[in-house]
Amino acid sequence: MVCALGAAVCFGTATVLQAVAAREATGGGGGEAALLLRALRQWRYLAGLALDGLGFVLQIAALRSIPIYAVAAALASSLAVTGVVAARLLHVRLSRLEWGAVGTVCAGLAMLGLASGTEGDRQGSMALKWAMLVIAVAVLALGLVGGRWSGRGRDLVLGLGAGFGFGVVEVSVRLIDSLAPLDLLANPATYALLIGGGAAFLLLTSALQRGSVTTTTAGMVIGETLWPATVGVVWLGDRTREGLTWLAVLGFAVAVAAALALARFGEAPAETETETETA
């Protein structure tokens, strides 16, 4: 659980840095790939990517030792980290309700820590590995065309797509049972992990720069928690400690719901600019 919380700290801090960089990349033509290239010229975005890389390593370590549902809830708590970082570094004000949500996230994670057991002992079937690859390719297709959409529901769809991409990464890590080069090349989950993670970043960058990041972040949290947790329990054998299933379910629900209440902190830089102008 320590690794999962460490990953949440990395991801939450990276969100603030990437949100600033994505907005500074505004302007210029091209599609989503061009937007990503412009963002990559921003030092804050690169610093955010470095933190994301460290967070990913910690996430892999966590997924190898605790159930997916616990890792997913911990990663959703990165929004609480984003809120705290925004409050300290960007002088964004948290209301009493939002500070309460931060505390509630911590309480939910504590419940999960007490109730979660070890990771499931089932090996994923080949059909599940191919299913992850299909989902990853679908998320990539959404990332390539989604930025051209307009109208209601766009931000939620992009957020859900990014969440599904990150969810593919969570599940695929568990489906890679050998790190031998030939085994990695022959495993569809390897390609699912790479494609799903890349596509998720593409969608998230588009959302941070062009859409309502609050809506997008809420969709992302839902997409990266619910279905990966279900896959872990149903197909990979993730379980709780004996007699504590109710506590795990309650902790998961509380942590995710409180994280959703903090979704606006994907837009922390915009809030800061508004406060500065008002002052």
Side-chain angles (χ1 to χ4, degrees), residues 114-149:
L114 291 172
S116 61
T118 58
E119 66 171 339
D121 56 1
R122 298 181 197 167
Q123 292 185 345
S125 65
M126 185 58 68
L128 182 58
K129 296 175 182 179
W130 280 107
M132 291 303 104
L133 181 56
V134 170
I135 294 173
V137 171
V139 172
L140 178 61
L142 178 62
L144 294 175
V145 303
R148 303 173 186 174
W149 294 358

Side-chain angles (χ1 to χ4, degrees), residues 45 136 139-140 143 158-169 193-207 216 220 224:
Y45 197 85
V139 172
L140 178 61
L158 292 182
L160 284 170
F164 267 76
F166 290 127
V168 166
V169 172
L193 187 153
L194 297 174
I195 295 172
F201 274 115
L202 190 65
L203 285 165
L204 187 57
T205 300
S206 176
T216 305
M220 183 182 69
E224 73 178 346

Side-chain angles (χ1 to χ4, degrees), residues 162-187:
F164 267 76
F166 290 127
V168 166
V169 172
E170 293 172 22
V171 177
S172 296
V173 167
R174 287 280 297 277
L175 296 177
I176 297 175
D177 45 17
S178 172
L179 297 180
L182 291 179
D183 291 335
L184 286 174
L185 291 174
N187 191 342

